[in-house]
Amino acid sequence: MEKEEVIKLFGKNHALLRGHFKLSSGLHSDTYFQSALILQHPAEAEKLAKELAKKIIDAKIKIDVVVSPAMGGIIIGHEVARALGTRAIFTERVDGKVILRRLFSVAKAEKVLIVEDVVTTGLSTQEVIGALKADVVAVVSLVDRSAGKVDFGVPRFSLLSLEVKSYKEEECPMCKEGKPLIKPGSRTQRISKVRK
């Protein structure tokens, strides 16, 4: 799947948003990839997952289990695991700490693939890696906003890799202009027409 196809798919599903956003990393950006708007369609999720799985297969990386962070990585992680014929589990944040719950476990010898929807700073992925006492062998994501700059110490793949500007709050030009801030996915999310 070519980069243009992925961008077109995000656009078609109104999942590429423009505005003033607070990312889960705490950084601000004028661009937000709302993968859930694509992944709500099982056929689209399956198609994207097969493309990610193909990257792992082509790289001849053996996988025993897929682990994704809740919430954004759960659907795509499950679909990638299905495409690879393995199981899928997810981590959750409890009292600020990323952990495995629901009696999920990963054996020390198991080969783990971390699957994310969007990587910006890589913090969520690093927290998932840190929560596991297992052999993480690769990381995949639908979107890599860092253009490959984040290093997890293992092979990493994405369907869309590009550099999207992100700002610390005190350096954010949109804040300085007084533009309303939206935190997608939060309970207090402000809804405004930012689709383009």
Side-chain angles (χ1 to χ4, degrees):
M1 182 176 271
E2 297 297 319
K3 177 179 176 178
E4 293 73 27
E5 286 181 82
V6 179
I7 291 172
K8 187 175 177 183
L9 188 60
F10 269 84
K12 180 182 106 176
N13 287 282
H14 307 292
L16 177 52
L17 308 176
R18 305 286 185 197
H20 180 198
F21 303 98
K22 184 172 184 177
L23 309 176
S24 59
S25 63
L27 296 174
H28 291 202
S29 181
D30 65 355
T31 304
Y32 190 82
F33 293 91
Q34 183 53 281
S35 302
L37 293 173
I38 297 174
L39 299 175
Q40 70 179 324
H41 303 287
E44 302 282 31
E46 180 183 22
K47 179 180 175 182
L48 292 168
K50 283 182 176 178
E51 290 292 327
L52 285 174
K54 185 177 183 309
K55 291 182 180 294
I56 295 300
I57 293 164
D58 289 350
K60 298 181 177 12
I61 299 172
K62 184 186 177 326
I63 302 297
D64 296 310
V65 60
V66 166
V67 181
S68 301
M71 282 294 297
I74 293 176
I75 294 172
I76 193 63
H78 188 271
E79 289 296 319
V80 169
R82 182 161 60 141
L84 292 172
T86 188
R87 68 193 175 101
I89 62 176
F90 54 89
T91 60
E92 296 175 77
R93 189 174 301 279
V94 177
D95 297 328
K97 186 175 178 185
V98 172
I99 61 170
L100 287 172
R101 294 183 59 212
R102 304 173 195 277
L103 301 179
F104 287 149
S105 65
V106 178
K108 204 171 192 175
E110 285 187 292
K111 307 287 185 199
V112 177
L113 172 65
I114 307 293
V115 179
E116 275 272 25
D117 61 341
V118 179
V119 170
T120 300
T121 64
L123 179 61
S124 294
T125 302
Q126 292 288 10
E127 288 176 323
V128 172
I129 292 169
L132 304 173
K133 306 282 190 269
D135 188 11
V136 175
V137 295
V139 172
V140 298
S141 63
L142 292 174
V143 178
D144 171 15
R145 292 173 49 108
S146 80
K149 291 180 182 166
V150 178
D151 181 13
F152 299 112
V154 296
R156 62 181 299 217
F157 308 93
S158 64
L159 295 184
L160 179 59
S161 180
L162 67 169
E163 188 166 5
V164 180
K165 285 265 190 200
S166 300
Y167 307 92
K168 293 180 180 174
E169 184 174 353
E170 60 275 10
E171 299 166 358
C172 177
M174 284 116 10
C175 284
K176 290 175 183 168
E177 292 171 18
K179 290 187 178 175
L181 181 65
I182 299 164
K183 186 173 180 189
S186 72
R187 290 188 185 132
T188 58
Q189 171 181 336
R190 271 201 252 170
I191 305 298
S192 66
K193 295 190 180 196
V194 293
R195 293 183 189 171
K196 200 170 189 182

